[in-house]
Amino acid sequence: MSTTTAVPGTVLLSGIVGSTAYGFAHAGSDIDRLGLFATPTEELHGLHRPAESHVTTVPDLTLHEAAKWCRLALSCNPTASELVWLPDELYEVRTPLGDELVGLRTAFLSAPAVRKAYLGYADQQFRKLLTRETADPAARRRAAKHARHLVRLVEQAVRLHGTGRNLIRLPDPERIRELGERIADRPTLAEGLLADAAECLAGPGALPAAPDLRPVEDWLRRVRAAHYTPPREPPHDPGTPAQSTGGALGPTG
């Protein structure tokens, strides 16, 4: 699969995420892809900013510009962050700068952001369960999906808080699938999971109080330098006085 033609820039890192990465995939499951790209640096100098995300449904692909991905990762957005924690075999594009990003993935982490992002996403799934009518088979399948992701988010958050590592490939996906089925039928079963996770994430853990911004900033500046093409100077006519582009313009006359 080639993602390099999807954006006006260079894809630095991309891979297969979602259910396939977690271990939930079954025959007929969609394959979701996520990546980040560097827009040509000179395009950032103009009046109009280039698009920061490109999303397609055929195939299911989301690409974020490098700076936007960094902002999402610094907020510990679960969906964006998983890109740098994938098993090696799920990467489809890995450039040297992409490898550098994987190497500094822990710099993005902080305990408050993990708590807010992961529990916030899990709570969203819970609220969907409370309003979902499960009598319809299609709605029941969606409810089970929401419940699975609720359990996944809670367990990933607790593990991340306790170890400082984000385990994307779940060790026991069938257990989570079975628990999700039960929660889909009785959403209140999730209340205890959410409460226990909130208590755990409020206590001491392995994560710092704030992310380490310096290596993130340094990496992004290397990306900008690597993807900058200076404008070509027009050929100079020896008979034409050179034009100065420096200094301020003062009054004349």
Side-chain angles (χ1 to χ4, degrees):
M1 192 277 302
S2 172
T3 60
T4 55
T5 59
V7 294
T10 301
V11 174
L12 304 179
L13 189 69
S14 71
I16 297 173
V17 295
S19 296
T20 301
Y22 310 141
F24 290 155
H26 54 80
S29 291
D30 293 332
I31 297 179
D32 301 310
R33 290 178 167 91
L34 175 67
L36 65 90
F37 68 96
T39 198
T41 302
E42 58 271 20
E43 292 188 13
L44 301 173
H45 297 166
L47 183 63
H48 301 289
R49 304 285 291 184
E52 288 195 303
S53 295
H54 294 261
V55 180
T56 63
T57 55
V58 183
D60 289 320
L61 170 66
T62 297
L63 291 164
H64 296 304
E65 210 283 321
K68 179 176 181 179
W69 186 90
C70 286
R71 293 194 299 270
L72 290 171
L74 287 168
S75 71
C76 293
N77 176 288
T79 304
S81 296
E82 69 186 53
L83 177 62
V84 289
W85 294 92
L86 294 176
D88 286 346
E89 67 271 16
L90 293 184
Y91 286 109
E92 296 182 313
V93 175
R94 283 187 78 158
T95 65
L97 282 166
D99 280 335
E100 285 185 36
L101 188 64
V102 172
L104 58 86
R105 59 193 180 184
T106 58
F108 292 89
L109 299 174
S110 65
V114 166
R115 182 167 60 248
K116 179 179 180 181
Y118 279 77
L119 293 187
Y121 272 65
D123 187 64
Q124 287 180 15
Q125 303 301 315
F126 180 60
R127 294 181 183 280
K128 289 177 181 179
L129 289 172
L130 294 178
T131 58
R132 181 75 69 191
E133 173 56 58
T134 58
D136 175 65
R140 173 61 176 72
R141 288 192 295 272
R142 288 192 293 271
K145 181 177 180 179
H146 293 317
R148 285 196 301 275
H149 287 298
L150 184 156
V151 178
R152 169 186 63 82
L153 287 161
V154 165
E155 294 201 0
Q156 285 179 328
V158 169
R159 188 180 295 108
L160 186 52
H161 178 80
T163 68
R165 310 290 293 179
N166 193 355
L167 186 63
I168 300 299
R169 177 66 52 77
L170 302 169
D172 192 0
E174 287 307 314
R175 178 186 59 81
I176 294 179
R177 185 184 300 278
E178 188 274 334
L179 180 55
E181 293 294 330
R182 288 193 284 128
I183 291 174
D185 292 326
R186 292 180 58 198
T188 55
L189 291 175
E191 292 176 345
L193 288 176
L194 292 169
D196 289 347
E199 182 178 0
C200 175
L201 269 62
L207 298 178
D212 187 359
L213 297 180
R214 176 58 64 85
V216 175
E217 179 75 16
D218 289 346
W219 177 83
L220 188 56
R221 288 180 180 273
R222 288 196 299 276
V223 170
R224 297 301 183 224
H227 293 87
Y228 177 61
T229 303
R232 296 182 61 183
E233 293 291 337
H236 177 60
D237 183 349
T240 303
Q243 297 294 317
S244 172
T245 58
L249 294 177
T252 61

